[in-house]
Amino acid sequence: MGAQEQEEGERGTAEKRRKMAAASDVSMDLDILDCPICFDHLRPPIFQCAVGHVLCSSCRAKLPDKCHLCFLTTGYNRCYMMEHVVESIKVSCFYGNLGCTEKITYYGKEEHKKVCPYAPCRCPTTGCTFSGSTMMLLSHFSDVHKWHKLKIPYNKAYRMCIALGSTVIQGEDGHLFLVNMVEEPLGGVISVFCIQPHITESNFKCILEASCSEVGYSQITMFQAKSTNLFEGFPKDCFLFVLPMVLLKRTGTNVTAMVNVTLIPP
């Protein structure tokens, strides 16, 4: 048998094994993938004593040349077989029920959980306990609470009538924003949030421009849109765009006030 035929045969055997493994109902105790000293998930580089007891690289750096289990004086060597095992074992994302289809290495599941875009956000409506991914939240706002929703391009002003309540905006890349307006004693107060599961310093900027020709009013401001997952309700420590009471339709005036919303990505 030639070298090429042998290589093709080995490749075919490996493929057959993968298909058999995929079709098998395999279970294992995942504790064996944790360091027996610190109990963190094992990840490369992994070390072993002369007998074969393994430990993570952090614990290896802290221990003398004596095994933590058999207590034999030993030098530690890389355990490439165990490294191959932990690299090959994939698990589903914690937020698979919210739409994430990623398969992550067992040792990387916690890191992925911290950045997964499908992690839940919560509906801020009083008495509502719904939580879900941003796309699920978008449907919830529209279908259950009947909030107006729209999709707009970045760096382009979108003209809206000034009205109390919430409007959901989806950016061209899927990012979700909430334009909320409430009535306060000093007038109408508009706030704009970027809804995302992991609260970070938002890189999105927003320009709000309000105008009313009947009363000769005009105001324009650019600010950083605050990031929120809404689990604490509407953020209180955000920029507030204040409009005079005369611009609110419910005050009985007949003026037509408009506001332009422009979202600027990083």
Side-chain angles (χ1 to χ4, degrees):
M1 179 183 294
Q4 183 176 356
E5 292 178 336
Q6 182 177 355
E7 182 180 346
E8 290 177 352
E10 292 175 351
R11 191 184 305 114
T13 301
E15 182 64 24
K16 184 177 180 180
R17 287 174 180 169
R18 280 194 290 269
K19 289 181 179 179
M20 291 176 62
S24 301
D25 184 12
V26 179
S27 62
M28 66 179 296
D29 185 356
L30 294 179
D31 287 345
I32 67 170
L33 303 180
D34 296 337
C35 174
I37 299 177
C38 67
F39 303 109
D40 283 344
H41 302 324
L42 287 168
R43 67 185 66 210
I46 300 171
F47 294 88
Q48 64 177 351
C49 75
V51 177
H53 299 128
V54 299
L55 73 166
C56 69
S57 59
S58 296
C59 291
R60 166 67 188 94
K62 300 172 185 175
L63 293 178
D65 291 332
K66 180 177 288 189
C67 178
H68 58 292
L69 288 179
C70 62
F71 302 107
L72 295 177
T73 300
T74 180
Y76 286 99
N77 297 310
R78 290 279 293 275
C79 184
Y80 293 104
M81 178 57 71
M82 193 62 176
E83 290 181 8
H84 179 69
V85 170
V86 299
E87 287 283 9
S88 64
I89 294 179
K90 310 290 184 181
V91 296
S92 298
C93 173
F94 184 80
Y95 300 117
N97 62 324
L98 300 182
C100 184
T101 58
E102 288 285 331
K103 293 293 185 181
I104 312 109
T105 57
Y106 176 69
Y107 65 79
K109 64 177 183 177
E110 292 300 326
E111 287 86 347
H112 174 79
K113 182 180 177 181
K114 295 176 182 177
V115 298
C116 179
Y118 289 90
C121 298
R122 185 166 183 170
C123 177
T125 303
T126 303
C128 184
T129 59
F130 179 85
S131 65
S133 66
T134 53
M135 290 301 98
M136 296 169 68
L137 203 61
L138 175 63
S139 298
H140 173 79
F141 287 153
S142 175
D143 299 340
V144 177
H145 298 298
K146 307 304 179 184
W147 292 358
H148 181 55
K149 69 175 181 180
L150 51 95
K151 188 171 184 177
I152 66 174
Y154 292 133
N155 300 305
K156 186 176 181 180
Y158 183 86
R159 196 165 180 80
M160 302 168 53
C161 289
I162 292 177
L164 298 178
S166 299
T167 298
V168 190
I169 297 177
Q170 185 179 21
E172 58 190 46
D173 59 355
H175 275 86
L176 212 59
F177 302 86
L178 197 59
V179 179
N180 188 58
M181 181 172 172
V182 296
E183 183 179 337
E184 300 288 354
L186 65 163
V189 178
I190 300 177
S191 50
V192 181
F193 317 115
C194 177
I195 305 174
Q196 53 187 36
H198 309 287
I199 301 177
T200 59
E201 187 67 30
S202 172
N203 293 321
F204 284 90
K205 293 181 180 179
C206 179
I207 298 176
L208 289 181
E209 181 180 8
S211 61
C212 180
S213 58
E214 286 95 333
V215 296
Y217 177 84
S218 180
Q219 178 188 178
I220 182 170
T221 305
M222 182 170 71
F223 56 93
Q224 206 84 17
K226 187 175 180 62
S227 170
T228 176
N229 58 20
L230 297 173
F231 269 91
E232 302 296 328
F234 292 111
K236 305 298 183 184
D237 55 340
C238 61
F239 179 83
L240 301 177
F241 188 80
V242 182
L243 300 171
M245 192 67 74
V246 69
L247 299 186
L248 305 186
K249 285 186 176 295
R250 63 181 298 176
T251 60
T253 61
N254 293 319
V255 299
T256 302
M258 305 294 292
V259 59
N260 288 334
V261 180
T262 306
L263 297 173
I264 304 172

